[in-house]
């Protein structure tokens, strides 16, 4: 409480004003996200080999069926995303449970980026096709 000299009926000299920003805030979303993925490559992938298989011969349709099976196990609570990515992802990120760490726009293939940035934290994507293969993506931050 402020002291008022000579009891002159002082009023607060503190006031609050709000100046509106000159420009509206952008709704572009975050500049970076963190995500994990589980990749299943196929024979049409840009590099049809991985740490798991030196020569991947499965079709795109087979890769999709496999990935959908993994996704169903995650959704049903039969397995964790991280455990399946560690065992079955055709990406070297498998050793990190599929974690790709933080990345910004322009660092991933467009289809992958679009989905990763559109997901809510903790949300799992539907299958995503890129030149690398077929992915399911989990946004983690």
């Amino acid at each position: 409480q402020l002291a008022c000299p000579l009891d002159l009926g002082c009023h607060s000299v503190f006031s609050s004003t709000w100046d509106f920003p000159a420009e509206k805030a952008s709704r572009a979303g975050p500049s970076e996200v963190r995500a994990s993925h589980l990749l299943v490559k196929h024979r049409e992938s840009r590099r049809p080999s991985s740490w798991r298989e030196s020569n991947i011969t499965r079709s795109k349709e087979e890769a999709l069926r496999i990935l959908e099976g993994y996704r169903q196990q995650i959704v049903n609570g039969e397995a964790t995303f991280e455990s399946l990515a560690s065992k079955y992802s055709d990406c070297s990120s498998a050793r990190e449970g599929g974690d790709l760490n933080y990345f910004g726009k322009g660092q991933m293939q467009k289809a992958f980026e679009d989905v990763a940035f559109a997901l809510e934290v903790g949300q799992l994507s539907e299958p995503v096709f890129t030149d690398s293969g077929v992915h399911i993506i989990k946004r983690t931050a």
Side-chain angles (χ1 to χ4, degrees), residues 68-81 84 124:
E68 286 174 333
Y70 296 151
R71 189 179 191 288
Q72 201 58 51
Q73 288 179 53
I74 296 164
V75 170
N76 291 342
E78 298 166 17
T80 66
F81 182 95
L84 291 178
L124 188 65

Side-chain angles (χ1 to χ4, degrees), residues 16-65:
S16 176
T17 59
W18 174 255
D19 292 326
F20 287 95
E23 296 178 29
K24 291 188 178 190
S26 170
R27 298 238 187 256
S31 60
E32 287 188 324
V33 296
R34 185 172 190 167
S36 297
H37 77 137
L38 197 165
L39 170 66
V40 178
K41 292 184 174 185
H42 49 79
R43 63 178 168 247
E44 295 174 49
S45 295
R46 68 178 172 186
R47 198 175 65 91
S49 63
S50 75
W51 67 274
R52 297 180 60 237
E53 295 176 75
S54 61
N55 184 27
I56 296 172
T57 59
R58 73 179 69 88
S59 70
K60 193 182 285 191
E61 294 75 20
E62 289 172 295
L64 177 60
R65 276 195 301 276

Side-chain angles (χ1 to χ4, degrees), residues 41-136:
K41 292 184 174 185
H42 49 79
R43 63 178 168 247
E44 295 174 49
S45 295
R46 68 178 172 186
R47 198 175 65 91
S49 63
S50 75
W51 67 274
R52 297 180 60 237
E53 295 176 75
S54 61
N55 184 27
I56 296 172
T57 59
R58 73 179 69 88
S59 70
K60 193 182 285 191
E61 294 75 20
E62 289 172 295
L64 177 60
R65 276 195 301 276
I66 291 166
L67 193 72
E68 286 174 333
Y70 296 151
R71 189 179 191 288
Q72 201 58 51
Q73 288 179 53
I74 296 164
V75 170
N76 291 342
E78 298 166 17
T80 66
F81 182 95
E82 295 75 15
S83 68
L84 291 178
S86 294
K87 290 179 193 168
Y88 302 114
S89 182
D90 285 320
C91 179
S92 60
S93 67
R95 66 178 162 260
E96 303 295 331
D99 184 17
L100 296 169
N101 214 322
Y102 285 91
F103 56 89
K105 295 195 176 191
Q107 291 184 268
M108 299 290 175
Q109 294 176 60
K110 181 82 168 108
F112 188 99
E113 174 187 297
D114 289 347
V115 172
F117 275 82
L119 291 170
E120 297 293 326
V121 174
Q123 188 177 10
L124 188 65
S125 75
E126 294 295 327
V128 178
F129 289 86
T130 70
D131 291 342
S132 297
V134 190
H135 315 251
I136 48 176

